[in-house]
Amino acid sequence: MTEVMKRILIILCAVLLCLPSWADTEGKQIFNNLLRAGVQAVQSTLKHEQKDNEVPDEANVSSSSDPAGALSRVMIESLEKSLAGIKEQYKQEGRAYARELGDMVAERIVRSPRVQSTILTLQTLCWAIIAYLILVTILLLVSLQRLRSNDCRILELLRELKQKQGDL
């Protein structure tokens, strides 16, 4: 790539970066995609040039005074920051959509005739079990009361028998 083309890409990316953000989120996404494409083009050019030249170490790359490299790093950092906000917004919208969709599915399931009949059957079964337990509890209480009265009656009869044997 020629030096002129590199400069044109850098200028184009700088102009796109400096444009006012009056577009909605879809426009911002297109804008970010354009910026990303420009940054990738500049980076690929720089990589090809570095491969052609000697391979510099990491310290030389970060401290180089190459304006294209510095601009691409600044652009990448700014894009990452703006994309992080967009990602978070999409996550929140996705969560809200998932909740809404879950509520709609739950309502549809509850309205289903098969589900309604199953729920009615379970409710009837629960009420029958409650009635059965109440009846068993009442029968147990009545039986305990009868046993207690029979115990009292047996105790009285034993006392009378003991008195009769003591009188003899």
Side-chain angles (χ1 to χ4, degrees):
M1 213 175 197
T2 66
E3 188 67 31
V4 175
M5 298 260 315
K6 265 197 317 190
R7 289 179 191 255
I8 290 173
L9 281 175
I10 292 171
I11 292 171
L12 178 65
C13 291
V15 168
L16 288 175
L17 188 62
C18 296
L19 285 176
S21 60
W22 50 268
D24 60 351
T25 56
E26 292 173 3
K28 285 181 183 179
Q29 186 176 10
I30 293 169
F31 175 74
N32 287 332
N33 289 339
L34 286 172
L35 281 175
R36 189 177 310 123
V39 168
Q40 288 173 353
V42 170
Q43 284 180 340
S44 67
T45 303
L46 289 175
K47 286 180 184 177
H48 288 298
E49 287 179 1
Q50 285 178 354
K51 285 181 184 177
D52 293 341
N53 300 336
E54 62 182 280
V55 180
D57 61 343
E58 193 66 31
N60 288 341
V61 171
S62 64
S63 66
S64 68
S65 61
D66 183 20
L71 179 62
S72 66
R73 282 190 297 277
V74 169
M75 289 177 61
I76 288 172
E77 290 173 3
S78 65
L79 283 175
E80 286 176 350
K81 289 177 185 176
S82 64
L83 286 177
I86 291 172
K87 285 180 186 177
E88 187 62 34
Q89 179 184 359
Y90 278 122
K91 283 180 186 178
Q92 289 174 357
E93 289 175 2
R95 289 181 191 127
Y97 177 72
R99 266 188 250 114
E100 184 179 330
L101 187 63
D103 292 343
M104 287 173 45
V105 168
E107 286 179 26
R108 185 175 288 174
I109 288 172
V110 169
R111 285 190 222 151
S112 169
R114 289 180 63 187
V115 172
Q116 286 293 330
S117 67
T118 304
I119 289 173
L120 182 63
T121 303
L122 286 173
Q123 285 177 339
T124 306
L125 178 66
C126 289
W127 283 112
I129 290 172
I130 290 170
Y132 172 77
L133 290 175
I134 289 173
L135 180 65
V136 167
T137 304
I138 290 172
L139 287 175
L140 282 174
L141 290 174
V142 168
S143 296
L144 285 173
Q145 184 63 31
R146 287 186 69 199
L147 284 173
R148 187 171 180 205
S149 66
N150 284 340
D151 283 346
C152 288
R153 177 80 175 135
I154 290 173
L155 189 60
E156 281 180 33
L157 288 174
L158 284 174
R159 284 185 190 149
E160 286 177 14
L161 184 61
K162 188 176 180 182
Q163 269 183 352
K164 285 185 183 178
Q165 285 179 352
D167 286 340
L168 289 175

